[in-house]
Amino acid sequence: MSRPLPVNKNEYIDVVFEDLTHDGAGVAKVDGYPLFVPNGLPGEKAKVKVIKTGKGYGIGRLIELYEKSPYRVEIASSERHKFGGCQLEHISYEGQLTYKENQVRQVLTRIGKLEDVVVHPILGMNNPWHYRNKAQVPVGEKDGKLIAGFFKPRSHEIVDTNESLIQLPEVNEAIQTVKSICSELSIPAYHEETHKGVLRHIMARYGQQTGELMVVIITRTADLPQKNRLVEEIIARLPKVKSIVHNVNSKRTNVIMGEKTSVLWGSEVIYDYIGDVKFAISALSFYQVNPVQTKVLYDKALEYAGLSGEESVIDAYCGIGTISLFLAQKARKVFGVEVVPEAIEDAKRNAELNGISNAEFAAGEAEVVIPKWYKEGNTAEVLVVDPPRKGCDEALLQTIIEMKPKKVVYVSCNPATLARDLRILEDGGYKTVEVQPVDMFPMTTHCEAVAWLEWVCSPKIIFSEPK
Ligand code: SAH
């Protein structure tokens, strides 16, 4: 028999919020049982109504706030806040930074058991609005009208929106203009339930330093009705456009981009700069969405790498070579590894574009390629990792421990997996010197951090000798 839950559905209770979930909901604990309540902020006292109870957690609705957080700010649109990727809009920017910095400290202690690690104050933005250089919005139809905006969380209902507070104005304008043109030309929207119709997504990406705009039209069918008119109108109404791309995604899937990509007009890529390094960005490449803070992050990574010009460096999870090319300016040699072959092609092209000849790139899984290099006798003095949210693969961490690069610079978009991986590296002989959180995604719960580790001693784990 399982124990009865400490709360019942429809019950009204008083709580104090302790934390935030990934979606920015307040977390309160009732006898250890977590209750997630949208719009609750840490430190606030409130009356809530329990509206759902599950085995591991419950959901509540905020009824009355007894004590407000000093960081709470009034917001204009609760829809946008709830669904538009601005989960922290109701917290002042100062409050957001405090929350993220504390989160890094807490997980490093709780998950990483790193009691005395130096965590610097988070580096935030001077202007935390309109920073995203890319948007991809789903298209649908409502009452016979073309709509585009964002999905409600955990649903496939599209909310029609005209503006985002976190996208660059050029990106907002591009999306709105293309949406209007598609509507005027009566290009049929895609219907998810029936898997019929044409237009699935509109994507726009803007090179903030170069002023170059790319528009990508994603359709279910290879045929794009009114293709020529569409292109003409986009060119006429969006003077910054340099590239118009058509991507076909015929599958029933949540993945946005599909199997076939062709250039409808202009260049296959747009360009942008991070610092002095120029990047060619194609429709499918990963490129950091906040270029201003990317520079801040990479400068920190470069500082932590402490390069003198003599080192050989491995950049694992290198994407289109952004960090690698940054590092190559100060290293003897850089080797980048990335699982997406197209990104590696971009990385090579980017090296050439910048006249950088001391960077090499390999396509493959970091946890396969780097152990292979190591077995072949190729090591590095500095190793940089920038993994996706799930963190580094255990096999890669083990290879790092065996290879013993003098320094490891860990760029992370998820403090929890960063903390987990730092623990493993510490047990393997590394010491975390310091950690710098960087706010790459204001108004959202996402938090980036870069950690600097030095190899200090033999691993704590002693493997028993074979008998
Ligand atoms: N350092 C780059 C990209 C970081 S995003 C930048 O700053 O722009 C993480 C990257 O890891 C993505 O490009 C993703 O395709 C890649 N990736 C995911 N799993 C991987 C794996 N197992 N091995 C190598 N690369 C991987």
Side-chain angles (χ1 to χ4, degrees):
M1 274 285 288
S2 55
R3 280 198 316 138
L5 297 174
V7 293
N8 297 311
K9 196 175 161 182
N10 294 329
E11 186 183 353
Y12 287 83
I13 49 170
D14 289 349
V15 297
V16 178
F17 296 111
E18 297 172 17
D19 203 355
L20 289 172
T21 64
H22 258 301
D23 307 339
V27 182
K29 297 251 175 79
V30 185
D31 292 341
Y33 178 77
L35 203 56
F36 301 155
V37 184
N39 204 13
L41 294 186
E44 291 187 331
K45 272 193 187 161
K47 178 194 275 192
V48 303
K49 181 178 179 185
V50 180
I51 54 172
K52 239 189 211 166
T53 52
K55 236 196 202 159
Y57 65 91
I59 309 276
R61 183 182 303 135
L62 191 66
I63 302 295
E64 190 186 341
L65 268 181
Y66 300 129
E67 255 173 54
K68 270 193 190 177
S69 162
Y71 295 130
R72 178 177 285 279
V73 289
E74 292 306 317
I75 55 169
S77 156
S78 68
E79 278 248 304
R80 178 181 66 209
H81 157 68
K82 270 192 271 177
F83 313 129
C86 292
Q87 310 96 334
L88 302 187
E89 195 194 335
H90 59 315
I91 309 181
S92 66
Y93 191 49
E94 188 199 348
Q96 294 179 24
L97 293 177
T98 307
Y99 166 70
K100 291 184 188 187
E101 190 181 310
N102 286 343
Q103 193 197 5
V104 173
R105 285 183 209 281
Q106 278 165 15
V107 293
L108 289 177
T109 314
R110 185 165 50 83
I111 302 173
K113 308 275 179 272
L114 297 159
E115 304 296 340
D116 52 0
V117 66
V118 177
V119 178
H120 290 290
I122 188 166
L123 299 171
M125 295 188 82
N126 291 334
N127 174 9
W129 307 100
H130 297 294
Y131 60 84
R132 275 187 71 101
N133 59 10
K134 173 184 160 181
Q136 36 197 15
V137 297
V139 178
E141 203 182 276
K142 200 173 182 184
D143 308 326
K145 204 179 133 245
L146 192 96
I147 57 167
F150 41 77
F151 287 121
K152 285 191 178 179
R154 290 175 290 278
S155 117
H156 285 248
E157 192 184 329
I158 295 170
V159 182
D160 196 32
T161 43
N162 291 319
E163 217 221 332
S164 153
L165 289 175
I166 53 175
Q167 283 155 212
L168 287 169
E170 290 82 0
V171 172
N172 276 337
E173 187 200 354
I175 297 282
Q176 286 325 307
T177 306
V178 176
K179 180 171 146 186
S180 306
I181 298 170
C182 291
S183 176
E184 288 162 29
L185 296 177
S186 306
I187 299 175
Y190 173 65
H191 290 264
E192 211 181 5
E193 323 78 62
T194 57
H195 194 53
K196 294 222 162 71
V198 177
L199 187 59
R200 296 178 73 132
H201 277 83
I202 301 167
M203 195 258 246
R205 199 182 235 167
Y206 183 64
Q208 208 176 2
Q209 299 301 320
T210 54
E212 296 185 357
L213 177 70
M214 173 184 275
V215 169
V216 186
I217 310 288
I218 300 128
T219 61
R220 180 187 66 87
T221 51
D223 180 44
L224 171 55
Q226 302 271 29
K227 185 158 81 183
N228 295 343
R229 285 286 309 282
L230 176 64
V231 169
E232 277 167 28
E233 289 299 323
I234 293 175
I235 301 167
R237 295 196 218 173
L238 292 170
K240 289 184 173 168
V241 74
K242 286 284 177 300
S243 163
I244 306 176
V245 173
H246 180 202
N247 176 273
V248 182
N249 185 354
S250 60
K251 299 213 174 85
R252 250 179 204 258
T253 168
N254 287 339
V255 178
I256 295 177
M257 294 289 188
E259 60 277 6
K260 232 182 108 224
T261 309
S262 57
V263 178
L264 293 179
W265 177 85
S267 162
E268 188 199 336
V269 295
I270 54 165
Y271 294 98
D272 197 23
Y273 284 90
I274 300 173
D276 296 331
V277 187
K278 188 175 184 181
F279 293 98
I281 309 149
S282 63
L284 298 182
S285 343
F286 173 91
Y287 184 63
Q288 295 281 358
V289 295
N290 183 338
V292 172
Q293 290 299 86
T294 299
K295 170 81 169 52
V296 173
L297 182 76
Y298 290 179
D299 278 341
K300 205 31 129 182
L302 190 61
E303 180 194 321
Y304 283 168
L307 300 173
S308 68
E310 293 304 309
E311 297 83 356
S312 147
V313 183
I314 292 176
D315 178 20
Y317 310 90
C318 71
I320 60 168
T322 23
I323 298 181
S324 318
L325 298 180
F326 230 65
L327 296 166
Q329 299 169 308
K330 299 275 165 65
R332 182 171 59 79
K333 186 93 200 186
V334 177
F335 299 90
V337 191
E338 156 66 44
V339 75
V340 177
E342 291 83 4
I344 287 296
E345 289 312 308
D346 283 349
K348 288 180 182 165
R349 189 159 42 172
N350 287 328
E352 229 170 82
L353 190 65
N354 291 280
I356 293 175
S357 55
N358 61 336
E360 273 181 37
F361 296 96
E365 288 174 310
E367 61 273 23
V368 174
V369 174
I370 296 171
K372 186 170 140 273
W373 283 347
Y374 178 57
K375 276 206 195 95
E376 291 165 358
N378 298 316
T379 60
E381 286 87 42
V382 178
L383 200 141
V384 178
V385 295
D386 182 9
R389 287 187 57 76
K390 66 174 193 244
C392 291
D393 190 276
E394 179 97 34
L396 174 62
L397 295 172
Q398 286 313 325
T399 300
I400 297 176
I401 290 167
E402 284 168 37
M403 189 193 268
K404 302 185 190 55
K406 215 170 124 331
K407 276 179 209 283
V408 174
V409 179
Y410 194 132
V411 181
S412 159
C413 56
N414 182 351
T417 53
L418 171 69
R420 179 201 68 196
D421 292 350
L422 291 186
R423 181 72 264 149
I424 295 171
L425 291 171
E426 289 241 343
D427 289 343
Y430 280 89
K431 168 92 188 120
T432 309
V433 184
E434 54 183 69
V435 176
Q436 175 64 66
V438 179
D439 190 21
M440 298 279 280
F441 312 103
M443 308 302 141
T444 80
T445 49
H446 294 287
C447 182
E448 195 93 7
V450 49
W452 162 20
L453 295 94
E454 293 271 338
W455 193 79
V456 286
C457 62
S458 298
K460 273 191 208 152
I461 310 163
I462 312 282
F463 296 102
S464 54
E465 292 285 318
K467 298 238 163 70

